[in-house]
Amino acid sequence: MKKIYLDQASTSFPKAPSVADAVYQYLSGCAVNVGRGGYQAAYSVEEQIFETREQLRRLFHFTSGRGKNVIFTQNITMSLNILLKGILKPGDHVLVTSMEHNAVMRPLVQLQRQGVTFDRIPCDHEGNLILSEADALVKPNTRLLVCLHASNVCGTIMPLKEISTFCQKHGLLFVLDSAQTAGTLPIDMEELKLDALAFTGHKGLRGPQGIGGFLIRSELASQIEPLLSGGTGSISHTEEVPDFLPDRFEPGTPNIPGILGLHAALDDLENSSMDLAFQHELTLTKQFIDGILTLDPAEASLRVIGHKDTQNRCAVVSIQTLEVDMARAAFELDDTYGIMSRVGLHCAPSAHKTLGTYPAGTLRFSFGPENTPEEVDTALHALAEITGISQ
C-alpha cells in the first residue's frame, strides 16, 4: 500500500534532499565537537554552524548582532521556555491569544504560580484575532505579548503587523512563535519590530527533528537569566555563566548533526521559491476543503473547522467526522488507505475551546510542497467511504 503523509504540521516529510546526507557525512566523516578541539576539523564545523546562524538571520531579516544573536536549542518549546521564564518576573503581566499552543501556555501557567499573570486576547470561531478587545486587557504591569503566527489546529494566520503596532503603542515586548510558518511564510523581524522569534527546524524549514532556536535582540538578551548553564568551551577559567552571545544560552555539547542538517535544509530553501511552495500548498488546501464541502454541503457528516477558503490561512485543515468516531476514522485512514493524519487536541486546548471543538478535538490534515492533488483526491475518497457518504 502506498503511504500518503498528510501530517506536515507535526513534522515535514520528505525532508530537503540534502539533509540526510549532511548528517551522515558529519557523523561518518569526523564527528568532532566545537568550542573544545584546537584543530582544523573542529574549526571547520564551527564555521558551518556560524554559517547556519547567518542563514537564519537572513531568512528572518534580522540585523541585530549578526549571527551571535541566533541561539540554538533542541526545539521551539525549549526556546519559548528560555524566553518566557527568562524575561518574566513575579508581578509581570502577559498578553497571549486564545489560540495558543501549549508550548506557550504551559510555561505561562507554571509562571502564574510564581506571580506572573496573563490574559487571552479573544479570537472568533474561525481563529481570527479580535485585536479591538486587546486595549482593555493592557495593565500598568503588562510587559510582553507572545503569540503564534498561525494556528496548528485550523491554520488561521495572525495579523502580525497590526499586533506589532499594538505592541509599539503600549510599549510591550513582542515575541513570536513561528512553529507553523518558518520556511513557509515570510517573516521580517525588523519590519515587525520583534524582540525575539522562536523557530523549529523540523517543520517548514524541512530540517531534522531535535534542532530549533531563537533570534533575540541584544538589549533583551542581557536582561534574561539563562534557564540552563554549564560548560561552553569559552572562558573556562571562571565558573560564571558567560555574558556574551551565543554562549550565554548554549551550554553543553550542541546538536551538531541537527544544526548541519538544518544548514543543508536552509541551503535548499534559499535556492527555491518559498512563495511558489506556499501557493502549491494552498492549492491543495482549497482542493481538500472544496472536496469536503462537495461531499457534504450541509456538513452533516463532515465539518470543516475554521476558514472554509484559503484566505488568511496556511495549509492546515481540521475537520470533524460527526457520525464516526474521529480516532476510528484516523485509524481507518492509516490502516485501510495508508493515509497519515493527526487526531485529537494537537497540544492546543485553548484553541479548541475557541473553535468550539473542545474536548472532542479534530481530525487534522496538513499539506507540504511534496504532496500532490492525487493524494488529496485519495484522502477525499477515503473520507467518503469511512463516513458512508455516497460520491
Side-chain angles (χ1 to χ4, degrees), residues 195-210:
D195 295 285
L197 178 149
F199 70 90
T200 194
H202 69 103
K203 298 191 182 187
L205 296 179
R206 301 180 70 198
Q209 288 93 332

Side-chain angles (χ1 to χ4, degrees), residues 56-190:
L56 289 160
R57 191 175 64 82
R58 291 194 299 270
L59 175 65
F60 297 119
H61 303 277
F62 185 51
T63 61
S64 177
R66 302 195 68 214
K68 68 185 179 65
N69 288 56
V70 179
I71 311 299
F72 288 117
T73 66
Q74 72 182 38
N75 50 48
I76 195 169
T77 299
M78 177 175 282
S79 298
L80 289 165
N81 270 265
I82 290 171
L83 291 167
L84 295 176
K85 293 175 179 177
I87 295 171
L88 298 170
K89 304 294 185 291
D92 286 340
H93 176 252
V94 184
L95 292 179
V96 296
T97 78
S98 68
M99 292 295 292
E100 297 307 314
H101 186 278
N102 275 344
V104 166
M105 295 315 304
R106 284 183 172 174
L108 288 181
V109 169
Q110 279 188 307
L111 288 166
Q112 192 176 40
R113 300 190 188 104
Q114 301 170 22
V116 173
T117 58
F118 63 85
D119 279 299
R120 304 173 209 247
I121 306 170
C123 299
D124 65 21
H125 69 283
E126 291 186 331
N128 301 300
L129 185 67
I130 309 174
L131 192 57
S132 60
E133 297 191 19
D135 285 300
L137 300 175
V138 177
K139 302 178 180 179
N141 60 333
T142 305
R143 186 165 187 213
L144 165 73
L145 189 151
V146 55
C147 72
L148 45 67
H149 190 179
S151 170
N152 71 310
V153 177
C154 65
T156 300
I157 298 171
M158 293 294 157
L160 295 190
K161 290 183 180 179
E162 291 83 351
I163 295 173
S164 175
T165 299
F166 172 85
C167 288
Q168 295 300 305
K169 171 184 173 182
H170 292 285
L172 307 181
L173 295 171
F174 186 11
V175 174
L176 184 66
D177 168 0
S178 71
Q180 291 301 325
T181 57
T184 301
L185 292 176
I187 302 172
D188 189 322
M189 288 189 66
E190 300 305 330

Side-chain angles (χ1 to χ4, degrees), residues 15-80:
K15 300 299 181 184
S18 55
V19 169
D21 185 60
V23 174
Y24 175 78
Q25 290 300 328
Y26 167 72
L27 292 175
S28 62
C30 190
V32 298
N33 210 336
V34 292
R36 278 81 172 166
Y39 39 83
Q40 182 56 43
Y43 300 147
S44 176
V45 173
E46 183 67 54
E47 180 62 26
Q48 292 179 69
I49 292 175
F50 177 77
E51 289 173 3
T52 311
R53 298 185 202 274
E54 286 291 288
Q55 286 176 306
L56 289 160
R57 191 175 64 82
R58 291 194 299 270
L59 175 65
F60 297 119
H61 303 277
F62 185 51
T63 61
S64 177
R66 302 195 68 214
K68 68 185 179 65
N69 288 56
V70 179
I71 311 299
F72 288 117
T73 66
Q74 72 182 38
N75 50 48
I76 195 169
T77 299
M78 177 175 282
S79 298
L80 289 165

